[in-house]
C-alpha cells in the first residue's frame, strides 16, 4: 500500500527516515553492485515519489525547496538512490506543463499509486547531447511507432513507465510514456560506469513500439515561452552533488574521530586533535555549507519563478541554479578525495570502499559541464543576456 504524503514537513520527515536506512548498506551495495530494488520499493511505498503531484490531482505539490532538500538527504545517504528517481520527477513535471487534463488524471493517479517513471532520453554516437534520432512516426492503424536506441537510461530498469524523448516527422520533440513491458521495448542492464554503479543507467532499445496518441506529450511547446524545465531538472542534479559532498564529509569526519592516526610531528594522541587536520576539516565544512546555502537559494528562486513566471524570473531561477551547480560540482569531487587526505593510508583500503564518494561525484558531475554554466552566468551579470531555453540550464 502506497502512502500519500500530505505536505512539505511530512515529505522531509519521510526523506530523513529513509535516508538513515539507505545509508547503512550503501557501501556494500556499491561494492557488490547490488541493484537497489527493495530500497526503491520502500521509496515508492513511502509516498515520496508523488510529492510533486498537484493538489488538484491529490498530491502534496511540495515546493522546489523541499524537493531539493529531499534529494540532498537521499544523496548524502546513497547518491544512486537519489539519482534513480531524478527523471521520475522531471517527467512528472513535463505532464504538469504540457499534459492534457486526461493525461494528468491518469498518470498522476499512477504516481500516487507508487508507479515509477524511468527515462529513455540520451543517445550515444550522435553529434551532441540534444541530437535525438529516435523517431515517433504515425502508425497506419492509428497512434505512433517508436524506433531508436537510448543510452544512460537511469531508472528505466526499475520503472513501470518509461518516458521516451523522440522526434516526429516534422522534427518536433515529444515525450512518449511507454509501459516498461511494452512489446518491442527492451531494457539492457549494461551500465559499467566507475561511479553511480547501482543506478543501472543502461540501454533501452525501441523496435516498432506502439504508442497510443493519448500517451504522447508535445514537449517542444515547453520551450516556446518562459519555462523552468531546465532549472527544475538541474536543481535536482545540484542537490545530488551537494548530498554527495555532505555524505563524504560526514564519513571523513567520523573516520578521523575513530580510526585515523595523528601525524607524529603534531604531538597529539588523536588525529582529531592534530591542528592541521582541524584546519582542513574546517575548510571543507565551509565549502559544503556554502554549497548547501547556494542550493537552498536556487530552490527559492525556482519557487519564486513558479509563483510569477516571466522571462525575467525564469532567467533568475536558471542562473541561481547554475551558480549552485557550478559551485557544488568541484566541491563534491574535492570532498571525495579529501576523505583520504584526512583519513591517511588506512582510509585507502579497498574493503572500506571510501573511494565510492569520489567515483560517484566524478561520474555524476559529468552530466552537464560547469564551464558552460559559468559562461551563462557571466553573460547574464555583465550584459543582461538571458540564458537559453534549451532545457539544460
Amino acid at each position: 500500500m502506497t502512502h500519500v504524503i500530505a505536505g512539505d514537513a511530512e515529505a522531509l520527515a519521510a526523506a530523513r527516515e529513509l535516508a538513515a536506512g539507505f545509508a547503512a548498506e550503501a557501501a556494500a551495495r556499491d561494492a557488490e553492485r547490488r541493484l537497489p530494488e527493495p530500497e526503491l520499493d520502500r521509496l515508492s511505498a513511502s509516498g515520496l515519489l508523488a510529492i510533486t503531484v498537484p493538489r488538484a490531482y491529490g498530491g502534496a505539490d511540495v515546493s522546489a525547496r523541499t524537493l531539493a532538500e529531499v534529494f540532498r538527504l537521499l544523496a548524502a545517504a546513497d547518491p544512486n538512490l537519489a539519482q534513480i528517481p531524478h527523471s521520475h520527477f522531471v517527467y512528472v513535471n513535463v505532464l504538469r506543463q504540457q499534459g492534457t487534463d486526461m493525461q494528468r488524471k491518469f498518470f498522476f493517479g499512477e504516481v500516487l499509486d507508487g508507479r515509477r517513471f524511468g527515462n529513455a532520453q540520451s543517445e550515444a554516437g550522435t553529434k551532441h547531447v540534444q541530437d535525438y534520432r529516435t523517431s515517433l512516426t504515425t502508425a497506419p492503424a492509428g497512434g505512433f511507432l517508436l524506433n531508436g536506441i537510448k543510452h544512460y537510461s537511469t531508472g528505466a530498469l526499475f520503472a513501470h513507465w518509461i518516458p521516451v524523448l523522440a522526434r516526429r516527422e516534422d522534427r518536433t520533440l515529444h515525450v512518449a510514456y511507454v509501459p516498461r513491458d511494452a512489446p518491442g521495448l527492451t531494457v539492457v542492464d549494461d551500465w559499467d560506469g566507475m561511479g553511480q554503479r547501482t543506478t543501472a543507467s543502461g540501454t533501452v532499445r525501441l523496435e516498432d513500439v506502439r504508442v497510443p496518441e493519448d500517451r504522447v506529450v508535445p514537449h517542444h511547446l515547453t520551450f516556446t515561452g518562459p519555462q523552468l524545465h531546465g532549472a527544475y531538472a538541474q536543481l535536482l542534479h545540484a542537490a545530488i552533488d551537494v548530498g554527495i559532498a555532505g555524505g563524504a564529509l560526514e564519513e571523513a569526519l567520523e573516520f578521523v574521530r575513530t580510526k585515523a592516526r595523528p601525524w607524529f610531528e603534531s604531538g597529539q594522541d588523536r588525529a582529531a586533535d592534530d591542528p592541521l587536520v582541524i584546519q582542513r576539516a574546517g575548510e571543507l565544512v565551509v565549502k559544503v555549507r556554502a554549497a548547501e546555502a547556494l542550493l537552498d537559494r536556487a530552490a527559492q528562486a525556482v519557487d519564486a519563478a513558479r509563483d510569477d513566471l516571466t522571462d525575467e524570473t525564469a532567467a533568475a531561477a536558471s542562473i541561481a541554479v547554475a551558480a549552485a551547480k557550478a559551485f557544488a560540482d568541484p566541491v563534491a569531487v574535492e570532498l571525495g578525495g579529501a576523505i583520504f587526505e584526512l583519513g591517511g593510508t588506512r582510509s585507502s583500503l579497498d574493503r572500506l570502499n571510501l573511494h565510492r564518494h569520489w567515483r560517484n561525484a566524478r561520474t555524476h558531475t559529468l552530466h552537464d559541464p560547469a564551464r558552460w554554466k559559468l559562461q551563462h552566468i557571466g553573460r547574464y551579470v555583465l550584459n543582461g543576456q538571458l540564458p537559453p531555453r534549451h532545457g539544460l540550464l
Side-chain angles (χ1 to χ4, degrees), residues 41-53:
D41 287 341
R42 288 175 57 197
L43 185 62
S44 289
S46 74
L48 275 177
L49 296 183
I51 58 177
T52 59
V53 170

Side-chain angles (χ1 to χ4, degrees), residues 78-106:
D78 185 344
N80 295 269
L81 282 164
Q83 188 182 345
I84 289 169
H86 175 278
S87 291
H88 172 91
F89 285 97
V90 169
Y91 286 104
V92 167
N93 196 44
V94 168
L95 288 164
R96 288 183 64 136
Q97 302 308 311
Q98 300 300 335
T100 65
D101 181 59
M102 185 176 295
Q103 288 172 326
R104 291 171 185 166
K105 284 178 179 176
F106 175 77

Side-chain angles (χ1 to χ4, degrees), residues 196-211:
Q196 299 296 87
R197 288 176 172 175
T198 63
T199 59
S201 302
T203 300
V204 171
R205 300 182 184 277
L206 304 146
E207 299 176 275
D208 286 334
V209 177
R210 293 190 174 277
V211 185

Side-chain angles (χ1 to χ4, degrees), residues 115-192:
R115 307 291 194 277
R116 296 187 291 266
F117 292 163
N119 96 81
Q121 179 171 297
S122 295
E123 300 181 16
T126 56
K127 184 176 180 181
H128 51 71
V129 71
Q130 291 200 323
D131 180 15
Y132 302 114
R133 299 180 184 177
T134 296
S135 63
L136 182 69
T137 55
T138 303
F144 301 98
L145 293 176
L146 267 173
N147 283 280
I149 300 177
K150 298 289 189 176
H151 300 269
Y152 314 117
S153 302
T154 303
L157 190 67
F158 314 106
H160 301 92
W161 291 90
I162 301 179
V164 181
L165 272 182
R167 293 199 184 275
R168 293 286 309 276
E169 293 91 338
D170 60 2
R171 304 301 297 159
T172 55
L173 193 62
H174 290 68
V175 177
Y177 289 76
V178 183
R180 166 71 172 78
D181 59 357
L185 187 154
T186 306
V187 180
V188 184
D189 180 21
D190 57 359
W191 170 241
D192 64 349

Side-chain angles (χ1 to χ4, degrees), residues 13 61 277 307 318 336 347 351 379:
D61 200 11
V277 171
D307 292 339
S318 287
S347 65
R351 60 182 170 79
R379 293 169 185 173

